[in-house]
Amino acid sequence: MSDKITIAVSKGRIFDEALPLLAKIDVIPKDDPQNSRKLILETNKNNVQILVIRATDVPTYVERGAAELGIAGKDVLLEYQGDGFYEPIDLGIAKCKMMLAGLKGVKKEITRPRIATKYTNITQNYFSNFGKQVEIIKLYGSMELAPILGLADQIVDLVDTGKTLEANGLVPYERIADISSRLIVNKASMKLKSTAIKSFIEKLSDVIEVAE
Ligand code: ATP
Ligand code: PRP
């Protein structure tokens, strides 16, 4: 069995922050990722390649074994409903918070509020935990618009600096979860390619400890 390792990485900010971490363990794409249109990046290591894919697709690739490893935000992993992977390392990159937020100066306590979010499972679980009924409105981005236009009462979204909330007249209400990016590993690959994968995890853990 070949010990080739494919790593599926969320494109965008996670990819940008993951590249320096991978470079620290001497895994470097052959082509310049900023200029390349390739979706599979070969690296300086013959047995390691990187897929650059949408955040929400990373768990699917890893759970189904199309990639042995993945790097995805905890937000995406909490929202994804599957258990075909291990989550051995918190990489400490792309840190932010999942927050409930609403319009400034508006009453926070509402009976059955309408919540706009792309994180429908996380939102449902959060409110179910304390038995509150909500109406969830699924959006795919720019959630901050929904309360302004009366589409929803509140939102559940990621917040880092808080500037996006502030710029749109919103305030944070509650922190639902701390978010950072995690390494995930296909369960079967952990057994079948254990030498290569365990070595990869160890090296990555070492550079993260040094970074902290
Ligand atoms: P897509 O539209 O492809 O589904 P996206 O536009 O949400 O993805 P990004 O905004 O790059 O993609 O976010 C990818 C990941 O980065 C998120 O899943 C989250 O873990 C993290 N993230 C998102 N927003 C922030 C932020 N403001 N600060 C830090 N990390 C963030
Ligand atoms: C994310 C998130 C918020 C914003 C929060 O959006 O959805 O809108 O960051 O960051 P802040 O608290 O530092 O302002 P992103 O910039 O990724 O845009 P997108 O969701 O439209 O892709």
Side-chain angles (χ1 to χ4, degrees):
M1 148 105 33
S2 133
D3 263 4
K4 181 127 189 142
I5 292 181
T6 300
I7 314 169
V9 184
S10 294
K11 68 179 178 184
R13 73 183 84 217
I14 292 181
F15 180 71
D16 295 343
E17 292 191 40
L19 275 184
L21 267 187
L22 293 171
K24 281 188 183 166
I25 61 166
D26 195 31
V27 172
I28 298 164
K30 280 185 180 164
D31 293 306
D32 175 4
Q34 302 304 334
N35 295 322
S36 175
R37 299 286 299 163
K38 285 184 183 168
L39 299 174
I40 302 179
L41 297 175
E42 296 299 330
T43 72
N44 58 329
K45 297 276 183 279
N46 280 339
N47 67 332
V48 180
Q49 63 181 9
I50 298 171
L51 307 183
V52 190
I53 58 177
R54 286 194 70 161
T56 43
D57 290 336
V58 172
T60 308
Y61 273 71
V62 176
E63 181 167 46
R64 291 174 172 270
E68 286 76 21
L69 302 177
I71 297 180
K74 185 68 182 175
D75 52 322
V76 167
L77 301 177
L78 286 170
E79 184 66 17
Y80 185 76
Q81 300 197 311
D83 65 352
F85 47 80
Y86 299 115
E87 197 188 299
I89 319 182
D90 181 347
L91 298 171
I93 57 173
K95 285 185 176 176
C96 53
K97 294 178 175 58
M98 177 81 60
M99 304 284 296
L100 175 68
L103 283 175
K104 195 174 179 182
V106 165
K107 199 170 80 160
K108 184 177 150 192
E109 293 309 326
I110 302 170
T111 309
R112 202 160 186 272
R114 296 162 303 153
I115 315 283
T117 187
K118 67 175 170 186
Y119 301 101
T120 56
N121 295 327
I122 295 172
T123 302
Q124 190 58 65
N125 290 341
Y126 174 73
F127 284 104
S128 297
N129 275 343
F130 47 92
K132 180 152 177 94
Q133 289 212 337
V134 294
E135 180 188 345
I136 295 176
I137 299 169
K138 168 91 182 180
L139 293 177
Y140 292 86
S142 305
M143 270 71 83
E144 294 87 355
L145 274 176
I148 300 172
L149 296 174
L151 176 62
D153 301 300
Q154 296 167 3
I155 64 169
V156 167
D157 194 12
L158 299 175
V159 177
D160 178 20
T161 61
K163 284 182 182 164
T164 310
L165 287 185
E166 198 185 349
N168 292 290
L170 296 163
V171 287
Y173 288 161
E174 311 288 342
R175 183 175 63 180
I176 296 175
D178 288 324
I179 303 298
S180 56
S181 299
R182 315 296 164 106
L183 181 77
I184 58 172
V185 185
N186 173 270
K187 283 187 173 171
S189 306
M190 189 71 129
K191 293 194 187 83
L192 297 172
K193 299 188 177 183
S194 92
T195 309
I197 288 179
K198 282 182 181 159
S199 152
F200 189 93
I201 293 172
E202 266 170 34
K203 284 185 198 156
L204 208 47
S205 305
D206 286 349
V207 298
I208 286 160
E209 276 163 21
V210 169
E212 279 171 355

